Structures are given as structure tokens and as C-alpha cells.
Amino acid sequence: MSTSHGVILLGTGSSLPERSVRNGDFPASLDTSDEWIRTRTGIRERHISAAGETSASLGLVAARRALESAQLDPADVDMIVCATVTSDMMVPANACVIQAGLGCRPIPAFDLNAACTGFLYALTVAAQFVRTGTCRRILVVGAETLSRVVDFSDRTTCVLFGDGAGAVVIGPAEADGRGEHWFRLYADGRRADLIRLNGTRLRPPASCPAEPRITDEFDFLRMNGREVFKFAVRTIIELIDESLLECKLSPSDIDLIIPHQVNQRIIDAAFADLNFPTDKLMVNLERNGNTSAASIPIALDEAMRTGRAAPGDRVLLIAFGGGLTWAGGVWTL
Ligand SMILES: CC(C)(COP(=O)(O)OP(=O)(O)OC[C@H]1O[C@@H](n2cnc3c(N)ncnc32)[C@H](O)[C@@H]1OP(=O)(O)O)[C@@H](O)C(=O)NCCC(=O)NCCS
């Protein structure tokens, strides 16, 4: 039996911790300033989880809101994919915690790690199941608590990141031209050292079973900011050029670009090199910082709720991050 469906977005949702940390709230010992952070990154504040708030709990709220906006029930969900680098635990996956929280029946649920590109990877993987007719409704979540893995004594990283979650529901398209038109996923593991999060190191194999414990040292997120900056600018330019060329579109055919919400200077530098109107950019990083795999679904949900984007609009999604990984997608909402 051969079936091939288009894939559309049925609903969006997001969830941000209530607590907001403004640039001026960092302690004097960090030796930073509101002025430095604003002019070098565009970020003014970021949301930081309270006790008991986790990437799975934020993801669950975002998932509920996405289902509500799609007017669907948990019973309608055929699969959950959660993109995250800050899963609450190594096992179970956040997706399983979200499944239990929603009260879904037994369905496939798994996490996926492609760092800040994770949501576009998860969306693309999920879309294949809808395209083949294997699943009808899939929840795709991006959920992160970067505050758990950044070193708050390292001013070069801790000011950049924030917590939050975003989610979408996808399903089979009607034959009305809406849906996914194009995607590309990339990775280059040779440049893995540019962004690294070892986390808690697992016991080395040689010590098993003599030393039955994991090491308790925690290795925070480390990054070569300058090199990542250059990679990010180049990647935005290349993905926009590639998507327009392959979809045979011109800038006027795109209604909204949602780039990974990373740094205003990165976005400005890329757009200085592109013949593309900047008023088509959806940017909310000044309020949220970089929320890794959650940044695109949070921005997409905000665009839908505030009327920046509406059904029928053509959006270009662009993501990049650790791995290195990068990806693009063109959808008509
Ligand atoms: C991190 C980043 C903001 C640094 O900006 P930059 O203009 O490249 O700054 P540099 O790294 O050249 O550092 C310049 C100086 O600012 C200092 N500095 C860095 N962070 C600072 C902060 N928060 N407050 C004050 N000074 C800071 C540096 O220590 C350095 O000081 P020095 O000259 O005395 O050594 C920028 O490189 C960046 O955004 N990179 C991309 C990172 C990212 O978003 N990664 C995630 C990708 S998914």
C-alpha cells in the first residue's frame, strides 16, 4: 500500500517560567552589565525555572496548549517527539513524562537531541510518519531548562540562555496547498568542540563493576563564542539562499522568517548580507534569551497568538547549534 500525505501544522503552544531574570539582576561578581549584554546580544531578560519546574513540566504545559489550539484531545495523539538537551532524566525520556502527564494511550514517545536545531529535526522526523500515513496526529515539543547546565560564574555563556518550551501538533494536510514544502537537515560532527555539554560523566567502562557509581562532577555547557558566531551567520545566509533556490521562491513569497533565537547581532550580520526585508523577521530573544530547542516553537506560537503569522502564511524556519547541526524548513501555515 503506498500512501503519501502532505503535512500541516494544526496547533501551537508554549510555556515560559514565570520568573524573569533581567540583565541587571546578575550579581556584581559576574562582572557583566546590562549595556554589554544588550549591545552584544540584544538580550534584556530570560526566564529561569523555579524549583519543581523542569523541561518536562514546561513541555507538558506547552503540549496541552498546542492540543487546545488544535482542538484535539490527548486521545487523538499518535506519537510524541520531544527535542531537548536538558531532559529531566536520562531515563525516562521527557516525551514519556509528557505522555503520562497528558494521559495518552500507549503510543511511541521519544526524545531527540540535535541541540538548538532539535526542534526542526523533531518536526521533520515526525512529519515523515504523517507523510507515510503511519500516524495522523503527532505532538512535537521543544523543551529546555538551560539554567540547569550553564555555569552562572561564566559570563561568556550564562547571560545568553533561558528556559522554556514550545510545542506544535502536526497532521495530514487537505489538498489546499498548506503544509510542509521543504526541509533540510545537516550535521558536522568534526566541529563538535565548538559547543559542548558533557553533563554528569558516566562511569568509565573500565571501572565497572569495581566502582559502582557515576562521577559526581558536573561539566557545564562550554562554547567557543566567536567561532559559533561566524558559523551561525554563515548558516543563516546559506539556509535562506538554499531554501529560496530549491523552492523556487523569492523573498516576497515568504511572509515570516523564524530563525533560532540566538543573538540579535548574529541575525543582523546575516541579514546585512542578504537581500531580504528585515520586517519579515520574528525575533523575541530580547525577552527569552536563547532557549535552544524550544526557541523556534516558542517564537512560532507567539507569532500565531499575536497575529504576526496567520493560517495561509508561508514561513521559513532556520535553526543551528551544537553538533554542529543546522536545518531549515518552509511551511505554509
Ligand atoms: C558570546 C558572544 C556574545 C561574545 O561576544 P563577542 O563580541 O564575540 O565577545 P568576545 O568573545 O570577543 O569577548 C570580548 C570581551 O568581552 C568579555 N565578555 C564576554 N562575555 C561578557 C559579559 N557577559 N559581560 C561582560 N564582558 C563579557 C570577554 O571576556 C572579552 O573580554 P577580554 O577582551 O577582556 O578578553 C558572541 O560571541 C556570541 O553570541 N556567540 C554565539 C554564541 C551562541 O549564541 N551560541 C549558541 C549557539 S546555538
Side-chain angles (χ1 to χ4, degrees):
M1 187 180 69
S2 146
T3 43
S4 181
H5 302 273
V7 188
I8 58 168
L9 241 105
L10 299 168
T12 64
S14 62
S15 166
L16 292 159
E18 208 168 298
R19 181 171 157 222
S20 162
V21 172
R22 300 183 66 80
N23 292 343
D25 296 335
F26 287 108
S29 57
L30 195 62
D31 193 18
T32 188
S33 66
D34 174 50
E35 207 255 333
W36 194 96
I37 302 169
R38 259 189 305 106
T39 53
R40 300 295 182 110
T41 72
I43 299 166
R44 290 172 185 272
E45 57 186 310
R46 71 285 295 140
H47 296 266
I48 302 288
S49 302
E53 223 165 13
T54 69
S55 60
S57 73
L58 293 166
L60 175 59
V61 176
R64 278 204 185 104
R65 291 178 179 158
L67 283 175
E68 258 168 46
S69 95
Q71 297 181 309
L72 292 170
D73 293 321
D76 300 318
V77 177
D78 297 319
M79 177 183 283
I80 301 174
V81 189
C82 180
T84 183
V85 295
T86 50
S87 185
D88 291 7
M89 287 166 273
M90 289 183 77
V91 178
N94 265 5
C96 297
V97 180
I98 293 168
Q99 176 197 17
L102 289 173
C104 299
R105 63 200 147 78
I107 50 168
F110 59 95
D111 286 359
L112 179 156
N113 174 354
C116 299
T117 319
F119 178 76
L120 274 191
Y121 263 70
L123 183 63
T124 307
V125 167
Q128 308 311 309
F129 285 88
V130 175
R131 199 171 287 292
T132 56
T134 312
C135 294
R136 278 183 63 74
R137 320 281 191 204
I138 303 186
L139 248 175
V140 184
V141 184
E144 301 281 18
T145 43
L146 272 296
S147 63
R148 303 244 161 117
V149 297
V150 295
D151 178 353
F152 278 102
S153 66
D154 174 10
R155 65 179 183 176
T156 67
T157 52
C158 74
V159 301
L160 305 175
F161 296 97
D163 300 341
V168 301
V169 188
I170 59 170
E174 309 291 326
D176 60 359
R178 290 169 59 207
E180 184 193 50
H181 301 300
W182 178 87
F183 70 84
R184 283 290 175 276
L185 306 179
Y186 293 103
D188 181 1
R190 289 169 306 179
R191 290 188 283 167
D193 271 346
L194 293 190
I195 308 175
R196 193 174 272 280
L197 170 57
N198 286 340
T200 300
R201 296 202 191 118
L202 296 181
R203 178 178 61 196
S207 69
C208 174
E211 264 186 86
R213 61 184 176 83
I214 59 170
T215 70
D216 54 8
E217 58 186 299
F218 188 86
D219 230 14
F220 295 106
L221 185 137
R222 304 285 173 208
M223 179 175 71
N224 179 334
R226 280 189 199 177
E227 287 305 311
V228 174
F229 193 105
K230 288 188 249 172
F231 156 69
V233 173
R234 235 182 7 256
T235 300
I236 294 176
I237 295 169
E238 285 173 7
L239 281 170
I240 290 181
D241 284 346
E242 188 181 5
S243 62
L244 294 182
L245 191 73
E246 294 198 5
C247 296
K248 299 188 173 53
L249 297 172
S250 67
S252 60
D253 298 316
I254 301 288
D255 297 298
L256 197 66
I257 300 188
I258 306 184
H260 172 41
Q261 304 291 308
V262 62
N263 177 326
Q264 189 63 52
R265 267 171 63 226
I266 288 176
I267 296 170
D268 290 345
F271 274 71
D273 252 42
L274 284 161
N275 181 20
F276 218 109
T278 49
D279 62 353
K280 295 197 175 189
L281 271 168
M282 172 71 203
V283 179
N284 64 8
L285 63 89
E286 70 278 9
R287 282 174 279 119
N288 299 341
N290 177 351
T291 56
S292 187
S295 94
I296 287 182
I298 290 172
L300 176 61
D301 181 51
E302 183 180 323
M304 295 301 283
R305 281 186 295 101
T306 58
R308 262 318 288 279
D313 284 355
R314 194 179 279 129
V315 297
L316 171 52
L317 309 174
I318 293 189
F320 42 85
L324 295 177
T325 52
W326 61 106
V330 175
W331 288 68
T332 299
L333 300 173

